[in-house]
Amino acid sequence: MHTFLQLAVNGLGKGAVYALLALGFVIIFKATEVINFAHGSLVLFGGYLVVVTRESLGWLGASLVGVAGAGLLAVVVERLLLSRTKLADPNSLALLTIGVDVIVAEEIVRRLGVGVPFLGEAWDAKPIQVGGITLFRTHLVAMAVAAVLITAFYLAFKFSNWGVAMRAQAENREAAALMGIRSRQVTMTAWLVAGLLAGVAVLFLATQDFSGAGLSRGTHSIALAAFPAAILGGLDSTVGAIVGGLIVGLVEALSAQYISFDFSKSAVFLVMLLVLVVRPSGLFGTRESTRV
Amino acid sequence: MRATVAGATANAPAKPLRWLRWSAWLVLLVVLLALPLYVGSEWLKAGQWMMTGAVGAIGLTMLVGQAGQLSLAHAFFLLAGGTTYTVLASGTEDGRVVGFGVDPLLALLAAVAVTALLGLAFAPVSGRLRGIYLGVASLSLVFIGLYFGQSADRLTGGTSTGRTPAPFALFGFTFDNSGSLVVLGVPLRQAERLWYLYLALTVIAFVLARGAVRSRVGRSWRAVRDHEASAAAMGVNVAWAKAGAFAVSSAYAGLAGVMTVLWFDILKPDENEFGTYGINVSIAYLAMVIIGGLGSIGGALVGALIVFGLPQVLSLYSNQLGIFTGSGAGAVTPILVSTFVYGAAIILVVLFEPGGLAAIGRRITGGLHAQRKKEGTSR
């Protein structure tokens, strides 16, 4: 029971980070129906900026630069590439993001070389004991940050003008445009927000507490685990992203302990498969209906 | 995927054009057959790798382009095919791993059959999901393959050492350096022999795929891709068409997996998700298919030439080029450069020519051809 509680806490801590990443997928998907395969690159890019700038700016300054940089890269990709192809369907745009991902990830991994720097200096590796359970600071801060950001996003999504525009566009792109919603702006901010979230997530991903390793190609693949999170929650559901993130975190932590560490990566994907077989559009996703 | 697919329907081109095309294929084949007599083994080795890519890409282009099912699972089927061949064909003497000492040709056929069945077994998932959902779902197979490679070391030889596959043999003739065989003064050793084997496999794969695409089967795939409900209304068994496309594509990947293992002369499963059977490989195959033009069999060949050929050719030229002088961390390697090239090629194709190189090729070769296509047979 004690081990289980410990694992559950760890899993939720990781899950919070996955939720941030999954939310990024979902926001972009809602605004544009594009799956962003380059999300892992945004993560790497943000982390790389932190590594490069922290000598001169200190941890906090570098982190801000990293987060902003990831957001900026997302906007650049959207403006420079995706917005140019109005006629292409979302699926081929998703393929385009694969091209972006391949280039950005490869270049950053090359630049990192053999160095595997840790990023979360402010909270890394200082566990707190509460009633026999070890709480990792990274996890605690991640949960707090995720809670704040997700709440902020949720409120903005429900009540701000941006949120209304966003929901209108998610509902029906053409109709929203006809009603005077500026789809250009909505799309751009969606990518910006997703990029910022990816930039925040990497500050937790590349830490000892989270993965035991710093920023490397492995970080990119950890970001891939947010894919199942977004998909099993349902790609067009923000609640789904959060639930999906937590499920992925828990599944990973529990399977690593009770089955084997090697298996934990596959376990996440297997759970996703199971969910998809039962509910093809995820737990909270909207079902597609066929019109003939 | 619908809007990106260029017309891959098979129309009979005008008579003189068809004649021209046949002679072009014939010339190409003769050149490829004569090549081992003129070029060194390192070039043959590069060519074999391109043909390995071509076989896999043909399979994937049928699935993604013709049947409209996005798959990132190709690397898994490569591993499955390679492992099946190795386990069956290897001798029984090594106690560390399982081997059955089956005839290599049978082992190869079994590898194709096993991967086809694995593809069929994925039907409950592939039949229910569409587009990106299917893409990410199929990604899970790559992770399962990773775990399989790590844990089933009695079969795969384990991630640290791997295991050596038995050399391919056909009716007692082995495709390695044994014996002496001289044609026109050129000794045919492993590189030359495997070249002919790979060429034969690629030609068979190509011809069968063209046949499938042009037949009733291909029509049903395209019908399902374009509109499932109306395909069903027209009497296509949607579930079977989808499962069949996945099985056929997997079988091709299985064959490419056997070719991969024979090319490396070792079966070595990956330690992480980036390796010979990792996500990057799935993406490289997808890149071939996108660059070539989704659904185009000929395009898949060209895509393989670019994605798998470029790193090989660059590294053969690396000494002369002088740009790959660095080594270790931060070095610019042929693989890095070609990754950039195909990444950029994907972006350019989606932006400017969704039909891929196949569409560009069609535009160049067939003013007349394209005209006919536009008039008569819009789908």
Side-chain angles (χ1 to χ4, degrees), chain B residues 137-334:
Chain B
S138 63
L139 196 57
S140 51
L141 289 180
V142 176
F143 282 87
I144 292 168
L146 176 70
Y147 178 66
F148 166 77
Q150 286 170 335
S151 56
D153 44 6
R154 294 269 297 154
L155 298 179
T156 62
T159 48
S160 51
T161 56
R163 62 186 291 192
T164 322
F168 192 74
L170 203 56
F171 310 122
F173 177 75
T174 41
F175 290 77
D176 59 10
N177 284 330
S178 66
S180 72
L181 184 70
V182 180
V183 175
L184 295 176
V186 179
L188 294 192
R189 295 171 64 76
Q190 188 179 25
E192 286 82 8
R193 295 179 190 180
L194 276 183
W195 168 273
Y196 286 118
L197 173 67
Y198 280 37
L199 187 59
L201 292 176
T202 310
V203 169
I204 293 170
F206 181 78
V207 172
L208 286 180
R210 293 261 289 203
V213 164
R214 292 179 172 192
S215 73
R216 196 186 155 83
V217 177
R219 264 203 309 284
S220 71
W221 287 347
R222 289 189 292 277
V224 169
R225 171 195 72 193
D226 290 342
H227 203 297
E228 275 184 29
S230 39
M234 286 188 292
V236 176
N237 186 335
V238 174
W240 260 113
K242 283 183 139 186
F246 217 97
V248 169
S249 157
S250 312
Y252 271 81
L255 179 58
V258 178
M259 292 164 82
T260 305
V261 167
L262 287 174
W263 190 80
F264 279 114
D265 205 14
I266 190 169
L267 165 71
K268 192 170 177 303
D270 298 328
E271 286 161 35
N272 55 36
E273 52 271 71
F274 299 94
T276 322
Y277 309 101
I279 301 167
N280 49 332
V281 173
S282 280
I283 287 177
Y285 273 100
L286 197 60
M288 296 177 203
V289 167
I290 297 169
I291 294 168
L294 290 175
S296 159
I297 309 290
L301 296 182
V302 184
L305 227 56
I306 293 172
V307 173
F308 267 18
L310 205 58
Q312 296 289 323
V313 173
L314 282 179
S315 51
L316 283 176
Y317 271 127
S318 59
N319 288 332
Q320 285 98 310
L321 289 173
I323 51 170
F324 304 122
T325 45
S327 62
V332 178
T333 61

